[in-house]
Amino acid sequence: MRLSDDPHIEYPLFVLFLVIYLLTLMGNLMLLLVIRADSHLHMPMCFFLSNLSFLDLCFSSVTLPKLLEDLLSEEKTISVEGCLAQVFFVFFSSGTEACLLSVMAYDRYAAICHPLLCGQVMSNQLCVRLVLVSWALASLNAFIIVLLSINLDFCDSRTIHHYTCELSALFPLSCSDTSINYNILLICSLLHGLGTFLPMFFSYSRIISTILNISSTTGRSKAFSTCSSHLIAVILFFGSGFLCYLLPPSGSSMDLLLSLQYSVVTPILNPLIHSLKNKEAKAAVKRTLEKYLIF
């Protein structure tokens, strides 16, 4: 579908989305390079953050380049194989990001509730294993969802009522019985969503309880500041993801706008949130810029 019925509006939209895409690439690449270059950031939270930035690069690159191409094309087409590949990588990158956000919540729990044991609990070996498990679970989830959609037969009407390839918009075009596919999509989304959300919920329940028990206002403020950037990223990611995938599609323009916000806006906000709210990351960005500017 077109982003606008007026073709003249699509050129300004192309410029807007191109700028967003370039800023997303620059912001996440900068965060990756700063974390790698600055020894002060070689800690579990920043290790997870570097993986998150890499995933945001992948997530935005799955749909945005094709969307930019479509904005300049009269015929907005994609092959069935290309559409399913796009679906796979969207589920893979977003699923891995959900797992990583859950792991980062556990890291914040260890840092705030057990500060003296945090270094022992979040060892380098455990961090690497948690990241590998996150990638493996998300790839398995994406593989199951797409594998069940490969054998679908499509009817004559093949207009996807969406700006990108979404399974909820692809299933109605099929002549096959998609009730099983719908159910499996819902079950996989619920299992993956709840499986990553519930650990975050319990981690933050303990974090909030610990913060409230701190007697000094300064101590409470300092403790909350260590997890505020992650909490904002969680609300942004899971809030829009829940509305996109777990609520029944209504076919309204609001569904399409929410999907755009989820796939276009969220990847650019994550590096901004973490670099502006995280004092260590902010100081490291400043040190790195000063180093290369002097050079």
Side-chain angles (χ1 to χ4, degrees):
M1 289 177 60
R2 289 182 176 274
L3 277 168
S4 172
D5 293 330
D6 186 355
H8 297 292
I9 296 179
E10 293 196 329
Y11 294 109
L13 287 175
F14 171 83
V15 175
L16 173 64
F17 286 124
L18 179 61
V19 170
I20 289 174
Y21 183 51
L22 293 175
L23 289 175
T24 302
L25 294 180
M26 289 171 57
N28 286 289
L29 279 174
M30 185 185 71
L31 206 54
L32 272 171
L33 293 173
V34 167
I35 290 171
R36 184 172 179 81
D38 198 301
S39 59
H40 296 87
L41 296 182
H42 293 173
M43 59 182 74
M45 187 63 175
C46 291
F47 172 67
F48 297 135
L49 186 55
S50 63
N51 278 270
L52 193 66
S53 292
F54 178 73
L55 281 168
D56 281 329
L57 283 173
C58 298
F59 191 25
S60 60
S61 298
V62 171
T63 54
L64 260 176
K66 178 61 181 169
L67 184 61
L68 290 170
E69 179 195 338
D70 288 343
L71 285 169
L72 296 180
S73 306
E74 287 296 324
E75 292 292 329
K76 299 162 193 323
T77 60
I78 188 170
S79 64
V80 175
E81 294 80 8
C83 194
L84 291 175
Q86 194 178 82
V87 168
F88 173 82
F89 285 109
V90 164
F91 274 96
F92 171 65
S93 53
S94 61
T96 310
E97 186 161 339
C99 290
L100 278 179
L101 288 172
S102 185
V103 169
M104 290 165 77
Y106 178 71
D107 175 72
R108 293 299 83 197
Y109 158 75
I112 293 173
C113 300
H114 304 287
L116 298 179
L117 299 175
C118 183
Q120 298 175 13
V121 173
M122 299 303 295
S123 63
N124 291 334
Q125 293 85 352
L126 179 62
C127 292
V128 172
R129 286 172 189 166
L130 288 172
V131 168
L132 291 176
V133 169
S134 298
W135 286 75
L137 286 175
S139 61
L140 178 64
N141 182 59
F143 184 75
I144 290 172
I145 289 171
V146 174
L147 186 65
L148 293 164
S149 306
I150 288 176
N151 296 323
L152 291 178
D153 295 320
F154 292 94
C155 306
D156 294 334
S157 176
R158 298 190 177 188
T159 302
I160 302 174
H161 293 281
H162 212 287
Y163 309 131
T164 58
C165 281
E166 292 276 356
L167 281 184
S168 57
L170 198 62
F171 285 158
L173 306 182
S174 175
C175 302
S176 310
D177 181 16
T178 57
S179 57
I180 296 175
N181 299 75
Y182 269 118
N183 292 332
I184 291 175
L185 175 62
L186 182 61
I187 291 169
C188 287
S189 299
L190 279 171
L191 287 175
H192 198 79
L194 291 175
T196 51
F197 178 77
L198 287 177
M200 276 189 286
F201 176 78
F202 290 119
S203 294
Y204 271 101
S205 297
R206 294 294 303 275
I207 288 170
I208 292 169
S209 176
T210 302
I211 290 175
L212 291 176
N213 287 329
I214 298 174
S215 56
S216 67
T217 306
T218 306
R220 284 198 297 268
S221 176
K222 186 177 179 180
F224 180 74
S225 66
T226 61
C227 61
S228 59
S229 58
H230 176 258
L231 188 57
I232 294 169
V234 166
I235 293 170
L236 186 70
F237 181 83
F238 276 86
S240 55
F242 175 80
L243 293 172
C244 282
Y245 291 107
L246 295 184
L247 290 182
S250 63
S252 66
S253 58
M254 185 56 68
D255 286 346
L256 304 180
L257 290 174
L258 278 171
S259 179
L260 277 181
Q261 185 271 326
Y262 181 70
S263 58
V264 176
V265 180
T266 301
I268 194 177
L269 291 180
N270 275 337
L272 288 173
I273 291 167
H274 286 286
S275 59
L276 292 177
K277 297 289 291 182
N278 189 306
K279 291 181 180 179
E280 291 86 357
K282 195 190 301 184
V285 169
K286 186 178 179 181
R287 283 195 299 269
T288 305
L289 288 176
E290 286 176 350
K291 177 183 175 182
Y292 285 102
L293 284 173
I294 291 170
F295 176 76

